[in-house]
C-alpha cells in the first residue's frame, strides 16, 4: 500500500540526466508524454560536457572514438532521425599507431600480451572511424534545451515506490515528496540503483550483483600542451613501459588550435572494484604519462596542464538472468533500466543503444495496454 499522497503526476519519470536519460526523456516527450527527468546534480549530461581550451575554442570532455562498423552507423542514424538532431556522419580511414623500437608505426595488435580489457577497446581497431559534424557537448545541449522545464536538476531521488503488485508507481524526492508516474526509468549506475530499491524487490544475489558489477572504470586524462607535439592525429595505442597489471593506454592528438596549443586525450581501464582506490588511479595516470613521454619525449618539457576524469562503469556490460532484453527486471512491472552498463555496444554508443531499446519497448508496452484497455493510460 502506497502511504504517500502524490504531489506531482507524470506519465514517465526518468532518474539520471546522463546521455541515456536525456535521450529517453526527449524521445518520450516527442511522443507527447508528460515526463520528468530528475537529476541530483546541477549538471546534466554528466561526462558529456565541454571544456574550454582558450581562444574561444572548446573540446569534448575526454577521448571520443566511434569505430566504422555498419551496425554503429545504423544506430547513430536511428538516434539522429528519432530526435531530429541534424547530424551528419562521415566515415574515414583509421589506421591506429603505436610506438615500437624508437618509432611511431602502424599498430597490428597485441600479440601474446592481449590486455584483460581487450573486449572493451576492440571496436577502436576498426579500419574506419565515424566522425560527426557536432561535438557531443553540443548534442547534449540540444537535448537539454528541448526538455526545458521537464528537467529537474538538484532533485535527489530517495526511493523508487512500488504498489502491492510490485509495479513501480513513482519516486520519493528528497525523502519526503512523492511524484507519481505510470512508468519509471532508471538511467544511472548499477550500484546507485540498488540504493533506491526497497529491500524486498531484489534478491540478495541480484542486489550484490548490481552493487559489485564486473565492469570497467575509465581513467581519462586530457592534456593541454603549450606547443605542437605531434601532427599524427591517428588513434595511438601505447604500451610497453612496465610489465605490470596495468594495460595499454589509448589516445589521440587533436589538430592544433594554434602554434601555442594542442590538446591530446588519453584513457586506460581499471576494474570497477578498484575505482575507489586513489593509489591505483594515480598509478594508472602515471603509466599513461610514462607511455606518452616514451613516444614523445618533449611532451612534458614545457608547462602542460591536465584534466583528469574518472568514469566508473564506463565500459563493460552488466548481465543477469533476471534482466530482460527490454531493460526490465523479471517480476517488477513498469520499471525500466536504461543505464549504459546494460548495452553490449562501446563508448558513447552504449547509452544511445540502451535508451533507444528501452523507449521502444516502453512505447510498445503502452500501446498494448491502450489496445486492451483504453482507460488504462
Amino acid at each position: 500500500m502506497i502511504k504517500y499522497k502524490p504531489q506531482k503526476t507524470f506519465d514517465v519519470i526518468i532518474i539520471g540526466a546522463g546521455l541515456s536519460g536525456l535521450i529517453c526523456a526527449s524521445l518520450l516527450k516527442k511522443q507527447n508524454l508528460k515526463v520528468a527527468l530528475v537529476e541530483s546534480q546541477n549538471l546534466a549530461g554528466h561526462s558529456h560536457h565541454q571544456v574550454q581550451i582558450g581562444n574561444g575554442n572548446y573540446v569534448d570532455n575526454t577521448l571520443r572514438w566511434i569505430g566504422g562498423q555498419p551496425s554503429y552507423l545504423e544506430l547513430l542514424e536511428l538516434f539522429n532521425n528519432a530526435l531530429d538532431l541534424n547530424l551528419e556522419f562521415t566515415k574515414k580511414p583509421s589506421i591506429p599507431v603505436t610506438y615500437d623500437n624508437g618509432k611511431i608505426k602502424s599498430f597490428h595488435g597485441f600479440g601474446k600480451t592481449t590486455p584483460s580489457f581487450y573486449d572493451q577497446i576492440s571496436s577502436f581497431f576498426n579500419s574506419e572511424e565515424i566522425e560527426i559534424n557536432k561535438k557531443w557537448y553540443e548534442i547534449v545541449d540540444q537535448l537539454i534545451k528541448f526538455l526545458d522545464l521537464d528537467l529537474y536538476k538538484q532533485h535527489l531521488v530517495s526511493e523508487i515506490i512500488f504498489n502491492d503488485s510490485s509495479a513501480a508507481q513513482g519516486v520519493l524526492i528528497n525523502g519526503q515528496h512523492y511524484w507519481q508516474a505510470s512508468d519509471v526509468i532508471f538511467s544511472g549506475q548499477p550500484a546507485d540503483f540498488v540504493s533506491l530499491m526497497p529491500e524486498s524487490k531484489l534478491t540478495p544475489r541480484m542486489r550484490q550483483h548490481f552493487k559489485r558489477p564486473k565492469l570497467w572504470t575509465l581513467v581519462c586524462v586530457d592534456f593541454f600542451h603549450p606547443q605542437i607535439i605531434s601532427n599524427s592525429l591517428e588513434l595511438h595505442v601505447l604500451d610497453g613501459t612496465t610489465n605490470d597489471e596495468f594495460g595499454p593506454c589509448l589516445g589521440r592528438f587533436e589538430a592544433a588550435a594554434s602554434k601555442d596549443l594542442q590538446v591530446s586525450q588519453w584513457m586506460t581501464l581499471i576494474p570497477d572494484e578498484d575505482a575507489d582506490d586513489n593509489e591505483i588511479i594515480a598509478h594508472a595516470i602515471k603509466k599513461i604519462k610514462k607511455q606518452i613521454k616514451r613516444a614523445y619525449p618533449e611532451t612534458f618539457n614545457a608547462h602542460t596542464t591536465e584534466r583528469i576524469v574518472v568514469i566508473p562503469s564506463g565500459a563493460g556490460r552488466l548481465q543477469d538472468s533476471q534482466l530482460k532484453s527490454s531493460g526490465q527486471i523479471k517480476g517488477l512491472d513498469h520499471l525500466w533500466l536504461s543505464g549504459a552498463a546494460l548495452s553490449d555496444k562501446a563508448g558513447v554508443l552504449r547509452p544511445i543503444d540502451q535508451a533507444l531499446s528501452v523507449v521502444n519497448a516502453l512505447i510498445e508496452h503502452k500501446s498494448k495496454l491502450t489496445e486492451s484497455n483504453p482507460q488504462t493510460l
Side-chain angles (χ1 to χ4, degrees):
M1 182 67 68
I2 297 174
K3 59 183 178 181
Y4 304 101
K5 181 179 178 180
Q7 296 185 340
K8 293 180 183 289
T9 302
F10 304 90
D11 292 313
V12 186
I13 293 174
I14 303 100
I15 305 168
L19 182 55
S20 177
L22 287 166
I23 294 171
C24 287
S26 299
L27 289 170
L28 292 168
K29 184 174 180 177
K30 279 184 168 289
Q31 294 290 318
N32 296 316
L33 294 174
K34 185 179 180 182
V35 301
L37 177 56
V38 185
E39 170 58 46
S40 62
Q41 301 179 47
N42 193 37
L43 179 68
H46 296 180
S47 63
H48 302 281
H49 60 85
Q50 66 185 21
V51 177
Q52 186 170 8
I53 60 173
N55 300 325
N57 295 311
Y58 296 86
V59 294
D60 272 317
N61 186 34
T62 73
L63 176 69
R64 308 300 162 112
W65 185 276
I66 301 176
Q69 293 89 328
S71 62
Y72 286 9
L73 181 58
E74 181 181 350
L75 179 60
L76 286 169
E77 289 174 339
L78 284 173
F79 169 57
N80 179 43
N81 294 335
L83 289 169
D84 301 317
L85 295 170
N86 296 316
L87 301 179
E88 297 175 4
F89 308 108
T90 304
K91 277 190 175 183
K92 72 170 192 177
S94 172
I95 306 174
V97 298
T98 189
Y99 180 80
D100 187 38
N101 292 327
K103 295 180 180 180
I104 297 292
K105 56 180 66 175
S106 297
F107 174 73
H108 297 295
F110 294 103
K112 297 181 180 179
T113 58
T114 302
S116 55
F117 52 76
Y118 176 78
D119 288 346
Q120 315 311 322
I121 60 174
S122 59
S123 66
F124 283 71
F125 309 134
N126 192 269
S127 60
E128 293 181 307
E129 175 192 2
I130 299 174
E131 289 191 335
I132 305 177
N133 64 321
K134 294 182 182 179
K135 298 289 188 182
W136 282 102
Y137 68 79
E138 294 175 315
I139 297 171
V140 164
D141 287 347
Q142 200 171 336
L143 297 176
I144 291 172
K145 289 176 181 176
F146 172 70
L147 289 168
D148 194 21
L149 297 179
D150 299 314
L151 172 59
Y152 296 84
K153 292 186 286 188
Q154 293 184 300
H155 282 64
L156 179 66
V157 174
S158 312
E159 184 180 347
I160 298 174
I161 304 299
F162 292 82
N163 64 15
D164 292 339
S165 301
S166 293
Q169 293 216 318
V171 300
L172 199 62
I173 301 290
N174 297 328
Q176 54 184 333
H177 304 298
Y178 172 46
W179 290 8
Q180 191 177 53
S182 301
D183 290 271
V184 174
I185 298 176
F186 178 80
S187 189
Q189 300 287 9
D192 295 331
F193 173 69
V194 173
S195 67
L196 303 182
M197 292 292 290
E199 194 70 30
S200 62
K201 301 305 178 185
L202 294 178
T203 65
R205 183 200 60 78
M206 192 173 192
R207 188 172 288 274
Q208 186 64 22
H209 193 182
F210 272 75
K211 277 185 177 180
R212 295 186 176 277
K214 294 182 179 180
L215 300 174
W216 295 89
T217 289
L218 306 183
V219 179
C220 309
V221 190
D222 297 347
F223 293 106
F224 306 92
H225 310 282
Q227 59 189 13
I228 297 175
I229 302 298
S230 175
N231 291 317
S232 172
L233 307 183
E234 302 292 347
L235 177 73
H236 286 58
V237 185
L238 302 182
D239 199 5
T241 57
T242 53
N243 203 2
D244 55 24
E245 71 276 18
F246 294 92
C249 70
L250 284 71
R252 73 189 308 176
F253 291 91
E254 298 287 337
S258 71
K259 66 178 182 179
D260 301 321
L261 177 63
Q262 185 173 34
V263 177
S264 67
Q265 298 181 305
W266 306 83
M267 75 170 191
T268 190
L269 286 74
I270 62 173
D272 257 10
E273 61 197 52
D274 295 332
D276 293 328
D277 192 322
N278 290 333
E279 186 174 335
I280 290 177
I281 291 174
H283 194 142
I285 294 170
K286 183 178 180 180
K287 184 169 181 180
I288 288 175
K289 291 180 178 179
K290 287 179 68 175
Q291 292 177 149
I292 297 170
K293 189 170 183 178
R294 176 171 173 260
Y296 298 96
E298 72 280 14
T299 299
F300 304 111
N301 289 347
H303 180 64
T304 299
T305 57
E306 63 187 49
R307 177 182 175 85
I308 298 169
V309 180
V310 178
I311 306 175
S313 304
R317 186 183 186 190
L318 173 65
Q319 295 178 295
D320 190 283
S321 60
Q322 296 301 306
L323 280 173
K324 300 179 182 179
S325 59
S326 61
Q328 292 180 287
I329 297 175
K330 294 177 182 178
L332 300 178
D333 295 328
H334 297 279
L335 175 66
W336 311 78
L337 306 183
S338 72
L342 275 70
S343 171
D344 63 355
K345 299 297 187 291
V348 73
L349 296 183
R350 297 166 77 233
I352 295 174
D353 174 54
Q354 190 61 20
L356 291 175
S357 176
V358 164
V359 169
N360 286 337
L362 190 154
I363 291 173
E364 182 180 353
H365 177 69
K366 281 185 171 293
S367 297
K368 289 179 179 178
L369 286 178
T370 305
E371 291 170 3
S372 61
N373 181 6
Q375 302 301 317
T376 300
L377 300 179

